[in-house]
Amino acid sequence: METLYDVQQLLKQFGIYVYVGKRIYDIELMQIELRNVYEGRLIDKETYLQAWRILKREHHIEESRQEGGTNG
Protein backbone atom coordinates (compact mmCIF):
# COMPACT_ATOMS: atom_id res chain seq x y z
CA MET A 1 0.00 0.00 0.00
CA GLU A 2 1.61 3.22 -1.19
CA THR A 3 -1.01 5.65 -2.47
CA LEU A 4 -4.29 7.26 -1.53
CA TYR A 5 -5.93 5.04 -4.15
CA ASP A 6 -4.64 1.98 -2.27
CA VAL A 7 -6.26 3.26 0.94
CA GLN A 8 -9.51 3.82 -0.95
CA GLN A 9 -9.36 0.22 -2.20
CA LEU A 10 -8.77 -1.02 1.36
CA LEU A 11 -11.85 0.84 2.61
CA LYS A 12 -13.91 -0.42 -0.34
CA GLN A 13 -13.30 -3.97 0.89
CA PHE A 14 -15.52 -3.04 3.84
CA GLY A 15 -18.16 -1.27 1.76
CA ILE A 16 -16.83 2.19 2.58
CA TYR A 17 -16.89 4.66 -0.31
CA VAL A 18 -15.78 8.20 0.44
CA TYR A 19 -16.51 11.17 -1.81
CA VAL A 20 -17.34 14.50 -0.24
CA GLY A 21 -16.23 16.55 -3.21
CA LYS A 22 -13.17 18.27 -1.78
CA ARG A 23 -10.02 16.17 -1.57
CA ILE A 24 -8.93 17.34 1.89
CA TYR A 25 -12.36 16.51 3.31
CA ASP A 26 -12.27 13.12 1.63
CA ILE A 27 -8.93 12.41 3.31
CA GLU A 28 -10.23 13.50 6.72
CA LEU A 29 -13.29 11.26 6.39
CA MET A 30 -11.09 8.36 5.27
CA GLN A 31 -9.02 8.86 8.44
CA ILE A 32 -12.17 8.53 10.55
CA GLU A 33 -13.36 5.47 8.65
CA LEU A 34 -9.92 3.85 8.80
CA ARG A 35 -9.87 4.30 12.58
CA ASN A 36 -13.32 2.72 12.83
CA VAL A 37 -12.24 -0.27 10.74
CA TYR A 38 -9.15 -0.73 12.91
CA GLU A 39 -11.05 -0.34 16.19
CA GLY A 40 -13.52 -2.89 14.88
CA ARG A 41 -10.55 -5.27 14.54
CA LEU A 42 -11.12 -5.73 10.82
CA ILE A 43 -7.51 -4.85 9.93
CA ASP A 44 -4.24 -5.42 11.74
CA LYS A 45 -2.11 -2.71 13.31
CA GLU A 46 0.53 -2.78 10.56
CA THR A 47 -2.08 -2.20 7.83
CA TYR A 48 -3.70 0.55 9.89
CA LEU A 49 -0.43 2.38 10.47
CA GLN A 50 0.62 2.10 6.85
CA ALA A 51 -2.71 3.51 5.64
CA TRP A 52 -2.66 6.20 8.34
CA ARG A 53 0.79 7.40 7.21
CA ILE A 54 -0.44 7.64 3.62
CA LEU A 55 -3.48 9.66 4.68
CA LYS A 56 -1.39 12.00 6.84
CA ARG A 57 1.05 12.56 3.96
CA GLU A 58 -1.74 13.28 1.49
CA HIS A 59 -3.46 15.61 3.99
CA HIS A 60 -0.24 17.56 4.40
CA ILE A 61 0.14 17.83 0.62
CA GLU A 62 -3.41 19.19 0.31
CA GLU A 63 -2.83 21.71 3.10
CA SER A 64 0.31 22.89 1.32
CA ARG A 65 -1.60 23.29 -1.95
CA GLN A 66 -4.29 25.36 -0.24
CA GLU A 67 -1.75 27.56 1.50
CA GLY A 68 0.11 27.96 -1.77
CA GLY A 69 -2.52 30.37 -3.04
CA THR A 70 -4.98 28.22 -4.90
CA ASN A 71 -8.32 29.94 -4.67
CA GLY A 72 -11.48 27.96 -4.60
Side-chain angles (χ1 to χ4, degrees):
M1 187 171 1
E2 298 177 10
T3 66
L4 184 63
Y5 178 77
D6 295 332
V7 177
Q8 288 174 315
Q9 295 309 302
L10 173 68
L11 293 173
K12 276 186 184 180
Q13 292 176 16
F14 303 101
I16 300 168
Y17 296 82
V18 174
Y19 183 75
V20 176
K22 189 168 181 180
R23 186 174 168 91
I24 198 162
Y25 298 154
D26 290 345
I27 293 166
E28 290 171 359
L29 185 53
M30 281 189 266
Q31 289 174 322
I32 293 167
E33 294 294 353
L34 179 67
R35 185 180 310 116
N36 290 337
V37 168
Y38 175 65
E39 289 175 355
R41 299 182 180 169
L42 299 172
I43 57 173
D44 62 15
K45 187 173 186 176
E46 182 179 336
T47 302
Y48 170 73
L49 291 175
Q50 189 175 15
W52 185 259
R53 282 189 292 269
I54 292 166
L55 291 173
K56 291 300 281 185
R57 180 188 71 212
E58 293 297 321
H59 193 273
H60 178 73
I61 290 168
E62 283 303 308
E63 284 181 324
S64 298
R65 284 183 184 157
Q66 289 179 5
E67 292 170 3
T70 55
N71 295 328

